[in-house]
Amino acid sequence: MNGRKPTLSVPLFEGLPPGQQRQLALIASTHTFRKGQVIFCEGDEGKGFYVVITGKVKVYKLGADGKEQILRIFGPGEPIGEAAVFAGEPFPAHAEAMEESRTLFFPRASFVELIRNNPSLAMNMLALLSKRLRTFARLVEDLSLKEVPSRLAAYLLYLSRRSELKADELCLDIPKGELASLLGTIPETLSRILAKMSKQRLIHLKGRHIRILDRAGLEQLAKGGKRLAP
Amino acid sequence: MNGRKPTLSVPLFEGLPPGQQRQLALIASTHTFRKGQVIFCEGDEGKGFYVVITGKVKVYKLGADGKEQILRIFGPGEPIGEAAVFAGEPFPAHAEAMEESRTLFFPRASFVELIRNNPSLAMNMLALLSKRLRTFARLVEDLSLKEVPSRLAAYLLYLSRRSELKADELCLDIPKGELASLLGTIPETLSRILAKMSKQRLIHLKGRHIRILDRAGLEQLAKGGKRLAP
DNA sequence: CGTGCGCTTGACTTTTTTCAATAAAGGTGG
DNA sequence: CCACCTTTATTGAAAAAAGTCAAGCGCACG
């Protein structure tokens, strides 16, 4: 049901200059794995890393008793094994296609060559990862606020900071159900809290669009210094 | 009260081969800023980035109305402005020392030179950032479980996976109060839940040491598929 | 030997979840 | 274009979880 033409969003490379993205595309090849097919094993030399295009791939370890311990399941857009490959280390776990899966394969040798001839690609990738890391660090801080209104307020402020438009106008980038899950709660609670915020004139709510009416109020909430009255 | 001799833990470089850390140290110089002194301004060319050694630095934007909006406060070990410097972009915000602060300064030109002559440094830093990113991604997932027992179970499993010892023996790396905060709760709740888990023979608890008795049980909790009986 | 700090426990209050029912929103096919 | 159906969002009332306040325990440290 998803008629994507040529490009897949690959966060690992997203935001790089188009020229550098093209160079990367040149060294990549596509591999298709059948359901149940092993992609690599723990201890294998990391000759290159994969990016899932379609399908699902599980990464797992085998316990002493032979039982498999799934570490993560990767879907479209996600890179697999890149950290080990960058570091020149063997793969630290097994990977296997859970269903028929198409992947992009980036050979380590070509990648290193690219970096060697193109320090600015290295710098840009470092920049990319640094930014993302900072975003995550911030997100982790925000998620560890204890009450949902605080977490929601922090998230709204975060959105308003990053979206470069009118500053106080923002648009949820994910459905409310998913937002609830991201905030560690359920849609019902999110709904109620948005309603409260709206009633108290902290925000103006219209579908997926939100306007911040009282930034200071939200900041107080995000700091846990205030409660949201009923 | 912390008599550290020569080295400060700098996550940005931690885990790099000692040789490469030494090379980095060679291009760095120390700068000391007085309380209130501006380190850089929004729009300044990113001639290099800083790592806080001691003190506190605030990074902020100035709103249209001239009011400062603090984005983050950085303490010892944290890098400032590195993403912009890597990307060759101007600084996106202001930075100012909140108290007398010593910093390490890494000039962009030297850093780029280092990367150019040393692709393996680039690869290792990419590896480092990728690993950390993955850790964070996982942490975010775990933190968005809605109940505290789930989040705690996920955290325990995470610890057991990474600590290479007896697999089922683990030792909290942070004080329980801080763990509570990380899990988005308070020490009292954490304490109670640990007690319950212990009572139900999911874990064996002794101070900061924990032994996992029923891994499957914890996994069920972490997946939200089970409740923790009173 | 007392002080301070981190951790634990108990009784009580508030927030959040659950369950169930309804309302909007979106897409499909007639 | 509209009726229909599926998904997504909202609301209410009762149950469960987590938070607050207050007090006590254990232990390292001066």
Side-chain angles (χ1 to χ4, degrees):
Chain A
M1 312 300 125
N2 197 339
R4 64 171 93 264
K5 294 273 177 36
T7 52
L8 167 71
S9 147
V10 179
L12 182 59
F13 301 130
E14 203 152 278
L16 288 180
Q20 297 186 342
Q21 291 196 13
R22 241 174 285 122
Q23 288 185 291
L24 284 163
L26 286 178
I27 67 167
S29 52
T30 69
H31 279 233
T32 301
F33 296 92
R34 288 184 310 284
K35 173 174 172 166
Q37 195 175 352
V38 169
I39 299 175
F40 55 74
C41 288
E42 176 167 358
D44 281 0
E45 181 191 345
K47 290 207 159 78
F49 63 92
Y50 300 81
V51 172
V52 180
I53 303 174
T54 61
K56 277 198 297 193
V57 173
K58 69 178 170 191
V59 167
Y60 59 98
K61 289 216 173 214
L62 289 179
D65 51 354
K67 226 188 54 185
E68 87 176 25
Q69 164 69 34
I70 295 184
L71 300 180
R72 264 201 76 174
I73 291 172
F74 291 88
E78 299 188 283
I80 305 180
E82 83 290 0
V85 171
F86 291 160
E89 292 165 358
F91 289 116
H94 305 266
E96 178 186 316
M98 301 176 73
E99 47 189 68
E100 165 129 351
S101 302
R102 282 199 309 139
T103 66
L104 241 32
F105 178 73
F106 296 83
R108 179 175 208 273
S110 317
F111 189 84
V112 171
E113 194 56 28
L114 219 52
I115 292 284
R116 179 192 309 282
N117 298 325
N118 207 340
S120 100
L121 171 60
M123 293 298 285
N124 283 328
M125 286 199 61
L126 287 176
L128 194 63
L129 293 176
S130 299
K131 276 182 197 154
R132 202 155 303 145
L133 206 49
R134 184 152 303 176
T135 303
F136 267 108
R138 177 72 190 227
L139 189 56
V140 168
E141 270 184 45
D142 289 352
L143 287 177
S144 67
L145 294 166
K146 52 185 162 38
E147 289 163 22
V148 180
S150 302
R151 302 203 286 269
L152 175 57
Y155 185 80
L156 293 179
L157 291 169
Y158 156 81
L159 277 188
S160 91
R161 218 175 288 124
R162 83 192 313 243
S163 85
E164 293 296 331
L165 46 152
K166 267 289 197 306
D168 283 352
E169 295 279 357
L170 53 90
C171 185
L172 298 182
D173 46 354
I174 50 177
K176 290 185 181 171
E178 278 183 49
L179 174 57
S181 157
L182 176 67
L183 296 177
T185 186
I186 55 178
E188 291 95 319
T189 301
L190 175 61
S191 194
R192 288 186 240 266
I193 292 175
L194 279 171
K196 275 195 207 171
M197 285 182 166
S198 192
K199 211 156 295 172
Q200 297 187 221
R201 308 255 159 220
L202 290 170
I203 60 175
H204 181 263
L205 182 55
K206 184 173 196 171
R208 163 170 307 201
H209 293 270
I210 292 177
R211 172 180 311 179
I212 295 183
L213 298 179
D214 179 0
R215 179 175 296 266
L218 286 179
E219 278 161 6
Q220 277 202 298
L221 266 180
K223 286 197 195 103
K226 213 179 76 176
R227 284 292 153 73
L228 201 53
Chain B
M1 305 303 119
N2 196 339
R4 62 171 94 265
K5 292 276 178 32
T7 52
L8 166 72
S9 146
V10 178
L12 182 59
F13 301 129
E14 204 152 278
L16 288 180
Q20 298 185 342
Q21 290 197 12
R22 241 175 284 121
Q23 288 185 290
L24 284 162
L26 286 179
I27 67 166
S29 53
T30 67
H31 279 233
T32 302
F33 296 92
R34 289 184 309 284
K35 172 174 172 168
Q37 195 174 352
V38 169
I39 299 176
F40 55 73
C41 287
E42 176 168 357
D44 282 1
E45 181 191 343
K47 291 208 159 77
F49 64 91
Y50 300 81
V51 171
V52 180
I53 304 174
T54 61
K56 277 197 297 195
V57 173
K58 68 178 170 191
V59 167
Y60 59 97
K61 289 216 174 214
L62 290 179
D65 52 354
K67 228 188 53 187
E68 86 175 25
Q69 164 67 37
I70 294 184
L71 300 181
R72 264 201 75 173
I73 292 173
F74 292 89
E78 299 189 282
I80 304 179
E82 82 291 359
V85 170
F86 290 161
E89 293 166 356
F91 289 116
H94 306 266
E96 177 186 315
M98 300 175 74
E99 48 189 67
E100 165 128 352
S101 302
R102 281 199 309 140
T103 66
L104 240 33
F105 178 72
F106 295 84
R108 177 178 154 91
S110 317
F111 189 84
V112 171
E113 194 56 28
L114 218 53
I115 292 283
R116 179 193 309 281
N117 298 326
N118 208 340
S120 99
L121 171 61
M123 293 297 285
N124 283 327
M125 285 199 63
L126 288 177
L128 193 62
L129 293 176
S130 299
K131 275 183 197 154
R132 201 155 305 144
L133 206 48
R134 185 151 304 177
T135 304
F136 267 106
R138 177 72 191 225
L139 189 55
V140 167
E141 268 184 47
D142 289 353
L143 287 177
S144 68
L145 294 166
K146 52 181 163 37
E147 288 162 23
V148 180
S150 302
R151 301 202 287 266
L152 175 56
Y155 186 80
L156 293 179
L157 292 168
Y158 157 79
L159 277 187
S160 91
R161 216 175 289 125
R162 82 192 315 242
S163 85
E164 294 297 330
L165 45 153
K166 268 287 199 307
D168 282 352
E169 296 278 356
L170 55 88
C171 184
L172 297 182
D173 46 353
I174 49 177
K176 291 186 182 173
E178 277 184 50
L179 174 56
S181 158
L182 176 67
L183 296 177
T185 186
I186 54 177
E188 290 96 319
T189 301
L190 176 61
S191 193
R192 289 186 241 266
I193 293 176
L194 280 170
K196 274 195 207 169
M197 285 182 166
S198 191
K199 212 157 294 170
Q200 297 186 221
R201 308 255 160 224
L202 291 170
I203 59 175
H204 181 262
L205 182 56
K206 184 173 197 171
R208 163 169 310 202
H209 293 269
I210 293 177
R211 172 180 311 177
I212 294 182
L213 299 178
D214 179 0
R215 179 175 295 266
L218 286 180
E219 279 162 5
Q220 277 203 297
L221 265 181
K223 286 198 197 103
K226 214 180 75 175
R227 282 296 153 71
L228 201 53

